[in-house]
Amino acid sequence: MKNPILVVHGGAPTAVINASLYGVIREAERHPQAGPVYAAIGGAGGLLREELLDLSTVPTEVIERLPHTPASAIGTSRDALEPEHYRAIAKILEKRGIRCLLFNGGNGSMDACGKIYKACRELGMELSVVGIPKTIDNDIAVTDHAPGYGSAARFIVGTVGELSRDVAALPIHVSVIEAMGRNAGWVAAASALAREREGDGPHLIYLPERPFRQEEFLEDVTALHKKQGGVVVVVSEGLKGPDGEPAVPPIFRSGRAVYTGDVSAHLAQLVIKELGIKARSEKPGLSGRASIAYQSTVDREEAILAGREAVKAALEEATGVMIGLERLPGPEYVVRPVRIPIEKVMLTERLLPDEFITPRGNDVTEAFLHWCRPLVGEEPMPHQRADLREIFFAARKER
């Protein structure tokens, strides 16, 4: 019997979410028992509207572009699903003869995936429900990391590296760069890989896993500015104060979504007002999750792997699981796919562990750099380095 497969994208896109879709399509072609692969157009909302695309009708040359296409090629959503929606989805799947549901997304999507699985089970449906992880925030529990993070990390490394060279060339101000990450600082932490040599930025990194103390921040900036002039600071958008509240008061709340003012702008203004030092704020924002120019090859290949493994799991009648990545011990970077019970990851956030953050809370440790370095992909970064000033000062020193 053929097993039709349906793929749904949930939550914010990434630079490799389409790579997982590509992996699903190509793996399904290898299995005679796999039926057509359908895509929900517009996420869970599209599924509820029964807006499904038969991907076998899409030209091969278009499918081949998927791994290198930013955002979601089939559309995604943040629809607020209620209990009745999960039962409605289950009935639609039954009506359309879908045997395998693959839900590709982050924490919220894995929660929805688990609830659809439970709804199908309660209705006595024989249906495989499998989660494919996706998030730039890297905050999905149990898995070593999630597809989407490596590319976002590569973007922040490249962007901070370029801005740091700019600040070093004209070392008169403080540059505060805001990275995405509401409750977890994985993206901001990755910026530390921009340092090619001692003295390179970022000089300070602040994460939501540690209370942000304004006095210590101003002390650190003052000392660095006095020593070297230009200072590069990277902060997570979800920075919190000692009281656990956002460092910048929220301007809007809606369910789980909390919208604060720009942390980078707030801190730059603080530096100007309190220290009298010129400061600028930078917020790459959505560029950090959409950039194909900075797409990590490792991230792309692992996203394809996750899609392929989801198909294998579904066709083997595994259900209520998410495909995770387990890092194997040893000197070389190697991961293997694993099947994780969906209950273990539903709305459970994975934060940076203590050993990845320095005691003062303004930087990351060598342990984090070792963990993160393989995920950003091949070196070097797109920009090169030719510092003629160093040549000048070295020659003068030798005289």
Side-chain angles (χ1 to χ4, degrees):
M1 185 175 74
K2 293 289 186 179
N3 295 275
I5 299 169
L6 174 63
V7 181
V8 181
H9 283 175
T14 74
V16 298
I17 191 170
N18 294 322
S20 289
L21 177 60
Y22 178 83
V24 168
I25 296 167
R26 292 301 181 229
E27 185 64 30
E29 292 172 344
R30 298 181 61 249
H31 299 272
Q33 70 271 35
V37 177
Y38 296 93
I41 303 302
L47 173 52
L48 284 166
R49 295 186 297 271
E50 299 189 50
E51 296 175 349
L52 309 183
L53 172 65
D54 183 348
L55 295 173
S56 67
T57 65
V58 178
T60 298
E61 59 268 24
V62 176
I63 298 298
E64 287 300 316
R65 295 180 203 146
L66 284 174
H68 308 280
T69 297
S72 169
I74 60 176
T76 180
S77 68
R78 290 193 187 275
D79 295 279
L81 299 178
E82 301 298 335
E84 62 269 20
H85 293 136
Y86 299 113
R87 293 179 66 86
I89 286 173
K91 291 178 180 178
I92 289 171
L93 296 174
E94 185 175 42
K95 182 179 75 173
R96 299 296 291 259
I98 302 298
R99 303 278 299 173
C100 306
L101 174 66
L102 309 182
F103 215 110
N104 192 181
N107 274 323
S109 297
M110 291 306 103
D111 182 65
C113 182
K115 289 175 178 175
I116 294 171
Y117 157 68
K118 291 179 180 177
C120 291
R121 187 174 57 183
E122 289 170 1
L123 292 171
M125 295 170 54
E126 294 183 2
L127 176 75
S128 291
V129 181
V130 179
I132 304 174
K134 170 275 332 168
T135 176
I136 69 162
D137 292 334
N138 198 47
D139 57 354
I140 298 179
V142 186
T143 183
D144 178 80
H145 58 280
Y149 172 68
S151 295
R154 184 174 175 84
F155 174 89
I156 200 69
V157 172
T159 299
V160 171
E162 291 164 349
L163 286 170
S164 295
R165 301 308 303 151
D166 183 282
V167 171
L170 185 61
I172 62 173
H173 66 275
V174 176
S175 177
V176 185
I177 306 165
E178 182 175 333
M180 299 186 82
R182 183 176 62 244
N183 296 321
W186 295 97
V187 176
S191 67
L193 291 173
R195 300 167 183 152
E196 298 176 11
R197 60 186 73 173
E198 187 177 355
D200 282 355
H203 307 105
L204 298 167
I205 301 173
Y206 294 96
L207 312 169
E209 285 86 352
R210 288 288 183 276
F212 178 75
R213 303 183 189 281
Q214 180 174 304
E215 301 78 12
E216 292 183 0
F217 165 71
L218 293 173
E219 289 173 4
D220 293 343
V221 168
T222 299
L224 283 164
H225 187 263
K226 183 177 180 180
K227 176 183 178 183
Q228 63 197 34
V231 182
V232 177
V233 182
V234 175
V235 298
S236 286
E237 63 179 346
L239 215 58
K240 298 177 179 62
D243 59 359
E245 291 298 312
V248 179
I251 57 177
F252 178 72
R253 293 180 185 267
S254 177
R256 291 179 62 236
V258 179
Y259 300 91
T260 64
D262 290 352
V263 177
S264 53
H266 173 76
L267 295 184
Q269 291 172 9
L270 186 67
V271 169
I272 295 169
K273 292 177 181 178
E274 298 294 328
L275 303 180
I277 299 172
K278 182 179 179 180
R280 297 178 63 96
S281 63
E282 307 286 347
K283 185 175 180 178
L286 300 186
S287 299
R289 75 185 189 205
S291 176
I292 285 295
Y294 276 109
Q295 186 190 64
S296 161
T297 55
V298 171
D299 195 25
R300 182 175 67 236
E301 292 306 311
E302 290 181 347
I304 293 172
L305 173 66
R308 286 185 175 277
E309 290 299 320
V311 171
K312 292 178 184 177
L315 294 179
E316 291 172 9
E317 299 185 355
T319 187
V321 298
M322 183 194 79
I323 303 301
L325 298 172
E326 178 184 1
R327 188 180 304 216
L328 302 182
E332 299 297 324
Y333 173 73
V334 180
V335 297
R336 69 179 177 191
V338 293
R339 299 173 187 178
I340 303 168
I342 198 71
E343 290 90 349
K344 291 187 176 182
V345 298
M346 293 170 67
L347 284 180
T348 302
E349 289 185 311
R350 177 172 180 258
L351 306 180
L352 268 80
D354 289 342
E355 61 266 25
F356 283 178
I357 308 172
T358 58
R360 189 171 172 88
N362 63 0
D363 206 343
V364 296
T365 64
E366 187 61 38
F368 170 79
L369 297 178
H370 177 75
W371 175 88
C372 186
R373 191 169 284 113
L375 308 183
V376 301
E378 71 285 350
E379 295 180 323
M381 287 296 177
H383 59 83
Q384 301 297 316
R385 182 171 188 150
D387 199 329
L388 303 185
R389 295 169 306 163
E390 290 187 5
I391 296 174
F392 171 79
F393 288 118
R396 189 170 70 175
K397 188 176 181 179
E398 291 176 0
R399 295 194 191 116

